[in-house]
RNA sequence: GCCGGGGUGGCGAAAUCGGCAGACGCAGCGGACUUAAAAUCCGCCGCCCGCGAGGGCGUGUGGGUUCGACCCCCACCCCCGGCACCA
């Protein structure tokens, strides 16, 4: 045994993560190692992971979401960036209020106790969060500015109050935004929602519908872009005016939105939504009873029933007719619940020959069906279903013979020239409803005065503070309504007695701008300074779950664009790059929940294996964007790996000065090749293969060490240093410990990321595959970039290849240098 | 129905540009060390045939392009997510 190799008894110090992790976390905090300075001259990198809701405990999903994000942020720091990686808490919301009702306490108590616990749990992760910038949305110095944003949006005409039919959750006893209704149910509690007519505050997100469809200049995932596009639901078409001539009705037209104006000559009936305002006026006495009964029945149905695509269409005739301006045909007006009051104009022109829903309706009620396109699939007989797009126009007066692709523009032009209607774009997205009849949110900063009406609270009077002693009764009205001290105030204009708005803001409003507050969290003059905004914003890399695609991620884009138009910031998008991790599930493949009993507590994993092992295992599980079940059994493999790292770094190997030995070249190739792979993987969010590459290097070093081979001292040290440096982002504690044991200067986290030398990473000799007719027959070791004839000669000489060539003619040889040689034979 | 993402060993997965399918790890099997266990280390590990050398098959299904396809094209099946009587 060589003197450099320590006897076994002397290297029994085993890898023991807990004391190491505790010690370095304390040291880093004492040294303010992760404090981000605004005056650091290096290029900035703003990395952000979605802040947690203050639900009580940190769960595995938080680790799953934050650890890779932290790993990449640490890597960016080692790459020479001045990295901002902040953390905070999304602290307003219903669970706190519900807990307060149950325990007869104040939601603030529950929330801030949770924050204390979660902050400590977050610290065990060993992430590089800069806690000096912590933001808590429920603290007055934050929500003051949330209220300020509301005033700005109001001033700019992007906030308005309106009476409207809005979604109501009977369980949470508050209204909800459209985005919070999933399949007719409350996004939070799952209760079936209903509609209520209420005076509510809205933000004009629809004004930005088109711009929100533009994702150029940002790198987001196709998934989120697709979800946002679907949600915004842009449809090009036309709004057409049908003539109405009913005595006693004050209008002489009904407007309809259609995506197929080119089928207007095929209109054989007209349908209004049961809620359409004209229904009552136009219905003839003979049909009044039937119509009233139908409208009543429609009102009683839940949205889930009404919008089911499965059910058969129903409707009733109103007795009224409208005139198709194109051909002066008089068509009957029906009402049917398959027409939605909230989309388009709440009216549909019935073209049964070219729309399957209209077709089914016409078949059921014996309405006429007139094809207006000579579709190639149509034999001219009676239709069995609606015809698709294609063919030339027929039965369409002046348009007969027009090709399908020219039809829509031609009809729209004609409509515009004759005053029948205009080409238009319709959107599915509605304005964002932000009022909530709940107490634990930012109060909407307006008052109502008998003399002056609605009056915004002046900026210098912000924040409108939440009372500390509200009584919580889930009544369907904000508890603030019963709090006299809160409710009664004076008018900012004339000093008259006035009432405060008692609704609070949707918590998504708080999270629409939190990324801007992190850059200047203690500013009490403004939400943030313009100078710091210019330095830090927008966020360079955001990461989080896809469940926020049409809520948080859409709202904050709207906010950013509004802020830009108000001159507050100078950019268009909040997050330049967005990466979505998949969802981590319980070991049974189900969502983790207490009731299923499949919850894996991160605290337990950290206690048993250490934070570094848990961090690396989460990243090793599989591709981050994929998600999947958490299999607790595999973690031992990652722990064994870190053990091997520990043993190989602390245990040493037999070394000497051997700069020219072939083994030295091999070892350096391993080192540089691994740096190349890890660098590539970490840039591209491929944390699973990053860990695999580090494992391979470790295995190679272990092989050298176990075999007792003598290696070059400098190359060995280079390998160990590189390994520990690359370990610093994914496993920050063991890396710091091993760095110190290598007698390198504190801290490993302020070192530069190792760079690789492509020449050293390159192979001298490669194994190429030899195929005969595409089937693998031999593998040959050849020098890199070997010429074709050398490869061919070796291949043809091989006795594994020869039998497959016997008696056959070589037609062709394909040679791909450094990869393969394929011999094509015939006969 | 429309949009997006997928389908590879017993399991999680890998394969940078159309070029050796299954890296890395779990589980399993065999071995070294040990009184024993743990820990550590070494070997095997897609399926079928064969004692073996070796051969055949193999990336959801069926076709196609190509010397060569997990990868590209066409048709289809299945899974996950989103939107959906949206006119």
């Amino acid at each position: 045994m060589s003197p450099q190799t320590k006897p076994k008894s002397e290297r029994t110090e085993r890898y023991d993560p807990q004391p190491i992790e505790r010690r370095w976390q304390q040291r880093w905090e004492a040294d303010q190692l992760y404090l981000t300075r605004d005056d650091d001259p290096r290029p900035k990198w703003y990395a952000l992971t979605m802040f947690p809701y203050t639900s009580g405990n940190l769960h595995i999903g938080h680790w799953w979401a934050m650890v890779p994000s932290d790993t990449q942020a640490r890597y960016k720091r080692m790459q020479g960036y001045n990295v901002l990686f902040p953390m905070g808490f999304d602290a307003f919301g219903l669970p706190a209020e519900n807990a307060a009702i149950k325990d007869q306490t104040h939601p603030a108590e529950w929330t801030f106790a949770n924050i204390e616990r979660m902050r400590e749990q977050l610290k065990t992760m060993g992430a590089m969060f800069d806690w000096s910038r912590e933001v808590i949305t429920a603290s007055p110095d934050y929500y003051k500015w949330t209220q300020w944003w509301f005033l700005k949006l109001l001033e700019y005409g992007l906030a308005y109050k309106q009476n409207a039919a809005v979604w109501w959750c009977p369980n949470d006893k508050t209204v909800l935004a459209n985005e919070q209704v999933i399949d007719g149910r409350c996004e939070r509690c799952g209760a079936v929602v209903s509609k209520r007519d209420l005076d509510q505050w809205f933000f004009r997100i629809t004004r930005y519908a088109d711009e929100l469809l533009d994702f150029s200049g940002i790198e987001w995932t196709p998934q989120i872009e697709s979800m946002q596009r679907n949600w915004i639901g842009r449809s090009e078409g036309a709004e057409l005016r049908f003539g109405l001539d009913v005595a006693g009705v004050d209008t002489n037209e009904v407007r309809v939105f259609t995506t197929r104006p080119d089928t207007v000559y095929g209109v054989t009936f007209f349908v209004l939504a049961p809620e359409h305002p004209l229904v009552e006026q136009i219905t003839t006495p003979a049909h009044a009873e039937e119509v009233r009964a139908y409208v009543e029945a429609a009102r009683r149905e839940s949205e889930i029933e009404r919008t089911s695509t499965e059910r058969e269409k129903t409707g009733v005739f109103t007795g009224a007719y409208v005139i198709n301006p194109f051909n002066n045909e008089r068509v009957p007006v029906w009402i049917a619940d398959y027409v939605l009051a909230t989309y388009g104009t709440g009216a549909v022109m019935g073209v049964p020959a070219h729309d399957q829903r209209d077709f089914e309706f016409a078949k059921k009620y014996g309405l006429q069906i007139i094809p207006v396109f000579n579709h190639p699939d149509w034999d001219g007989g009676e239709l069995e279903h609606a015809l698709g797009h294609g063919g030339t126009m027929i039965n369409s007066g002046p348009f007969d013979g027009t090709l399908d692709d020219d039809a829509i523009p031609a009809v729209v032009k004609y409509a515009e020239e004759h005053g029948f209607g205009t080409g238009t774009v319709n959107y599915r997205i509605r304005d964002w409803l932000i009022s909530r009849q709940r107490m634990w949110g930012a109060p909407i900063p307006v008052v109502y005065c008998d003399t002056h009406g609605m009056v915004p609270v002046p900026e210098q009077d912000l924040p409108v503070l939440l009372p500390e002693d509200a009584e919580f009764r889930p009544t369907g009205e904000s508890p603030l309504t019963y709090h006299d001290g809160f409710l009664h105030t004076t008018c900012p204009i004339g000093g008259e007695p006035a009432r405060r708005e008692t609704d609070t803001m949707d918590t998504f409003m708080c999270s629409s701008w939190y990324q801007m507050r992190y850059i200047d969290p203690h500013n009490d003059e403004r939400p943030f300074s313009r100078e710091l905004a210019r330095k830090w914003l927008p966020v360079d890399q955001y990461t989080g779950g896809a469940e926020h695609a049409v809520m948080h991620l859409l709202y904050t884009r709207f906010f950013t664009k509004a802020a830009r138009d108000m001159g507050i910031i100078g950019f268009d998008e909040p997050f330049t790059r967005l990466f979505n991790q998949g969802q981590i599930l319980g070991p049974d493949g189900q969502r983790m929940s207490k009731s299923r009993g499949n919850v894996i507590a991160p605290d337990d994993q950290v206690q048993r294996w250490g934070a570094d092992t848990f961090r690396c295992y989460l990243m090793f599980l599989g591709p981050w964007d994929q998600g999947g079940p958490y299999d607790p059994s595999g973690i031992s493999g990652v722990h064994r790996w870190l053990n091997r790292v520990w043993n190989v770094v602390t245990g040493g190997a037999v070394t000497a000065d051997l700069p020219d030995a072939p083994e030295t070249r091999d070892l350096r190739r391993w080192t540089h090749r691994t740096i190349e792979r890890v660098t590539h993987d970490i840039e591209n969010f491929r944390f699973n293969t990053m860990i695999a590459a580090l494992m391979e290097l470790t295995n190679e070093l272990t092989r050298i060490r176990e075999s007792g081979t003598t290696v070059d001292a400098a190359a060995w040290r280079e390998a160990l240093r590189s390994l520990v440096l690359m370990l610093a982002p994914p496993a920050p504690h063991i890396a710091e410990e091993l760095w110190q044991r290598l007698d390198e200067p504190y801290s490993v986290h302020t070192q530069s990321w190792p760079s690789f030398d492509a020449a050293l990473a390159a192979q001298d000799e490669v194994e190429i595959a030899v195929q005969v007719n595409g089937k693998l027959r031999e593998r040959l070791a050849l020098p890199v970039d070997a010429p074709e004839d050398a490869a061919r000669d070796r291949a043809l000489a091989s006795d594994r290849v020869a039998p497959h060539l016997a008696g056959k003619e070589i037609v062709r040889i394909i040679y791909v240098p450094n990869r393969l040689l394929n011999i094509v034979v015939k006969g």
Side-chain angles (χ1 to χ4, degrees):
Chain A
M1 190 175 280
S2 142
Q4 285 94 332
T5 307
K6 295 169 191 161
K8 282 193 176 170
S9 58
E10 275 183 37
R11 49 179 174 90
T12 48
E13 189 183 353
R14 300 254 305 273
Y15 171 44
D16 184 7
Q18 274 72 19
I20 292 172
E21 292 176 359
R22 212 173 308 122
R23 185 166 71 246
W24 288 115
Q25 283 170 13
Q26 285 165 6
R27 173 82 189 269
W28 295 333
E29 191 163 348
D31 294 346
Q32 302 192 316
L33 188 70
Y34 302 126
L35 192 82
T36 301
R37 297 184 57 112
D38 292 323
D39 58 4
D40 191 309
R42 293 174 299 173
K44 71 99 179 180
W45 183 264
Y46 187 176
L48 187 62
T49 179
M50 288 180 184
F51 65 169
Y53 177 70
T54 51
S55 54
N57 271 301
L58 216 59
H59 54 78
I60 201 166
H62 292 119
W63 279 72
W64 169 255
M66 293 174 182
V67 162
S69 190
D70 175 57
T71 297
Q72 204 193 44
R74 288 176 170 280
Y75 159 79
K76 282 286 175 185
R77 178 181 184 174
M78 293 175 79
Q79 283 267 337
Y81 289 93
N82 181 27
V83 173
L84 174 58
F85 188 57
M87 183 45 62
F89 296 95
D90 186 15
F92 271 139
L94 262 171
E97 202 168 332
N98 291 338
I101 292 164
K102 193 162 151 258
D103 305 345
Q104 288 299 304
T105 59
H106 193 280
E109 222 171 283
W110 184 85
T111 302
F112 284 91
N114 284 349
I115 289 174
E116 290 304 314
R117 182 164 59 251
M118 292 174 76
R119 193 190 290 118
E120 290 318 302
Q121 292 174 315
L122 278 165
K123 286 182 177 177
T124 67
M125 199 182 280
M128 60 172 284
F129 301 130
D130 178 355
W131 287 104
S132 75
R133 293 169 181 268
E134 182 188 70
V135 150
I136 298 172
T137 59
S139 80
D141 59 6
Y142 185 86
Y143 72 73
K144 171 182 178 177
W145 298 109
T146 306
Q147 292 172 338
W148 178 91
W149 280 105
F150 177 90
L151 294 177
K152 287 288 161 193
L153 291 163
L154 181 63
E155 188 186 323
Y156 197 70
L158 289 171
Y160 64 94
K161 195 174 193 185
Q162 193 175 64
N163 187 273
V166 293
W167 293 116
W168 174 264
C169 173
N171 181 48
D172 289 341
K173 299 214 165 36
T174 181
V175 299
L176 300 170
N178 287 347
E179 288 78 8
Q180 289 170 296
V181 178
I182 316 281
D183 295 331
R185 292 171 182 276
C186 171
E187 175 253 343
R188 184 166 285 285
C189 72
V192 173
V193 296
S194 57
K195 285 263 177 171
R196 274 199 183 183
D197 288 310
L198 288 171
D199 250 347
Q200 300 288 291
W201 284 96
F202 293 87
F203 286 158
R204 279 189 215 283
I205 192 170
T206 51
R207 188 179 286 180
Y208 291 90
D210 251 326
E211 199 190 338
L212 288 168
L213 285 168
D214 179 8
F215 295 91
S216 58
I218 53 175
E219 293 170 39
W220 284 28
T221 51
Q223 169 159 260
I224 299 294
E225 288 188 15
S226 157
M227 285 167 77
Q228 294 202 348
R229 277 200 186 92
N230 283 340
W231 186 257
I232 294 165
R234 183 181 198 275
S235 293
E236 281 185 29
E239 197 172 282
L240 303 177
R241 291 190 268 274
F242 277 60
L244 184 69
D245 183 16
V246 177
V249 177
D250 53 8
T251 178
N252 58 2
E253 63 176 39
V254 197
R255 293 179 306 152
V256 68
F257 174 76
T258 177
T259 54
R260 293 294 305 277
D262 54 337
T263 62
V264 71
Y265 286 85
V267 174
T268 57
F269 62 96
F270 202 90
V271 195
L272 298 178
E275 300 86 348
H276 196 287
L278 277 174
V279 170
E280 211 176 318
Q281 301 177 49
I282 64 169
T283 301
T284 60
H287 295 89
E289 193 50 45
E290 210 185 347
V291 167
R292 194 176 305 119
Y294 188 85
V295 171
E296 264 311 304
R299 189 170 294 157
R300 272 198 304 271
E301 277 182 294
S302 79
E303 194 69 10
I304 298 171
E305 292 166 334
R306 255 195 81 168
T307 57
S308 163
T309 51
E310 247 81 293
R311 67 208 290 258
E312 199 180 329
K313 285 169 189 44
T314 59
V316 291
F317 179 40
T318 61
Y321 291 83
V322 289
I323 310 291
N324 182 344
F326 287 82
N327 55 11
N328 289 314
E329 289 285 334
R330 208 162 156 265
V331 296
V333 179
W334 289 62
I335 62 170
D337 64 4
Y338 79 89
V339 177
L340 306 176
T342 48
Y343 185 76
T345 63
V348 167
M349 59 181 216
V351 186
H354 298 280
D355 182 284
Q356 187 59 27
R357 293 154 306 183
D358 296 347
F359 181 84
E360 286 163 25
F361 195 75
K363 274 284 177 194
K364 180 164 178 184
Y365 293 107
L367 298 160
Q368 216 186 342
I369 299 171
I370 305 174
V372 290
F373 275 90
N374 195 358
H375 194 273
D377 295 345
W378 178 43
D379 59 8
E382 192 178 336
L383 293 176
E384 275 157 32
H385 53 81
L387 295 170
H389 182 78
T392 56
M393 290 177 77
I394 53 169
N395 298 326
S396 297
F399 295 98
D400 282 355
T402 308
L403 284 170
D404 54 359
D405 286 346
D406 306 327
I408 291 176
V411 174
V412 168
K413 184 163 174 278
Y414 185 85
E416 287 174 354
E417 284 165 2
H418 291 75
F420 298 163
T422 49
T424 180
V425 175
N426 201 46
Y427 298 92
R428 208 187 71 91
I429 190 173
R430 302 266 80 92
D431 276 339
W432 172 16
L433 167 53
I434 60 138
S435 299
R436 295 293 178 273
Q437 289 68 48
R438 301 301 307 221
M439 180 270 175
W440 192 231
I444 295 172
V446 303
V447 304
Y448 302 98
C449 157
D450 287 340
T451 311
H452 301 99
M454 189 279 290
V455 181
V457 173
E459 193 180 321
Q460 66 269 18
D461 294 345
L462 297 182
V464 175
L465 284 170
L466 285 170
E468 287 170 15
D469 58 350
E471 192 188 336
F472 302 105
R473 283 180 287 170
T475 62
E477 283 184 284
S478 166
L480 299 175
T481 313
Y482 308 109
H483 193 282
D484 289 343
F486 180 85
L487 183 64
H488 299 296
T489 183
T490 53
C491 176
I493 298 174
E496 300 89 342
R499 291 164 53 95
R500 285 195 189 281
E501 167 70 64
T502 54
D503 284 352
T504 54
M505 293 183 238
D506 182 0
T507 56
F508 281 116
M509 170 121 185
C510 309
S511 55
S512 287
W513 73 282
Y514 79 114
Q515 73 276 9
M516 303 191 214
R517 185 63 177 175
Y518 281 135
I519 66 170
D520 198 6
H522 309 296
N523 194 328
D524 53 12
E525 314 260 293
R526 301 181 47 78
F528 51 83
S529 89
R530 283 172 189 277
E531 191 192 341
L532 288 171
R534 265 193 300 277
K535 175 182 173 72
W536 285 112
L537 299 175
V539 171
D540 294 285
Q541 180 67 63
Y542 196 33
T543 59
E547 66 274 16
H548 290 297
V550 295
M551 291 189 259
H552 164 59
L553 289 171
L554 193 60
Y555 296 145
T556 186
R557 290 182 71 211
F558 156 69
F559 234 79
T560 302
K561 291 168 192 304
R564 173 204 61 200
D565 289 347
M566 294 187 289
I568 297 167
I569 52 174
F571 50 90
D572 304 318
E573 292 281 352
F575 313 119
T576 306
R577 294 171 197 79
L578 170 69
F579 193 91
N580 286 106
Q581 77 270 6
Q583 196 177 39
I584 188 80
L585 302 169
D588 54 1
Q590 302 280 104
R591 273 187 77 139
M592 281 193 203
S593 73
K594 276 181 200 149
S595 57
R596 288 200 185 93
N598 63 351
V599 174
I600 306 275
D603 291 359
D604 298 345
Q605 300 288 300
V606 171
Q607 185 145 27
R608 175 147 180 220
W609 302 100
D612 284 335
T613 295
F614 188 42
R615 285 171 63 104
C616 291
Y617 183 55
L618 286 168
M619 291 189 279
F620 183 64
L621 268 176
W624 195 33
D625 55 348
Q626 198 173 296
Y630 180 80
D631 169 11
S633 70
I635 194 168
S636 56
V638 171
H639 190 68
R640 282 199 280 264
W641 164 56
L642 287 180
N643 242 317
R644 283 201 301 281
V645 172
W646 178 271
N647 290 341
V648 85
V649 174
T650 61
V654 189
T655 57
D657 241 4
L658 298 165
D660 301 319
E663 291 79 8
T664 303
R665 174 83 179 91
D666 288 343
L667 175 56
R668 297 201 72 194
R669 178 180 306 115
W670 265 102
T671 302
H672 285 261
R673 176 85 187 110
T674 304
I675 297 170
E676 185 180 8
R677 287 170 65 187
V678 169
T679 304
H680 176 264
D681 285 345
I682 212 164
E683 289 272 2
N684 292 289
F685 301 91
R686 305 173 62 136
F687 303 101
N688 54 332
T689 49
M690 166 193 76
I691 300 290
L694 290 172
M695 284 175 170
E696 285 184 65
L697 177 62
T698 308
N699 292 348
E700 177 62 17
L701 299 181
T702 300
R703 265 192 292 277
I704 292 170
R705 173 179 138 79
E706 292 289 329
S707 66
T709 313
T710 307
V711 288
D712 180 64
W716 181 256
R717 184 161 185 92
E718 177 189 48
L720 296 188
R721 285 183 86 255
S722 303
L723 177 61
V724 172
L725 287 169
M726 288 187 281
L727 212 55
H733 312 88
I734 190 177
E736 189 77 282
E737 179 73 20
L738 291 173
W739 191 246
Q740 187 186 52
R741 284 167 188 254
L742 285 172
D743 288 324
E744 296 282 356
Y746 175 82
S747 158
V748 72
H749 301 296
T750 56
Q751 305 301 313
S752 289
W753 184 253
S755 56
F756 65 90
D757 181 332
L760 287 172
Q763 309 268 22
D764 303 328
E765 195 173 66
V766 288
E767 194 175 70
I768 74 158
V770 179
Q771 300 178 335
V772 178
N773 283 353
K775 279 189 199 293
L776 180 71
R777 298 300 177 190
E778 171 70 299
R779 301 167 205 269
L780 292 175
L782 288 170
V784 164
D785 295 331
E788 177 166 354
D789 49 4
R792 191 182 55 222
D793 293 350
R794 287 275 309 278
L796 293 176
S798 161
D799 50 14
R800 286 175 197 250
V801 173
H804 299 282
L805 302 179
K808 293 178 176 149
E809 182 195 348
I810 294 175
V811 182
R812 202 173 150 188
I813 291 181
I814 285 112
Y815 179 56
V816 182
N818 307 323
R819 292 221 183 254
L820 98 175
L821 184 91
N822 188 11
I823 304 166
V824 186
V825 296
K826 191 172 77 174

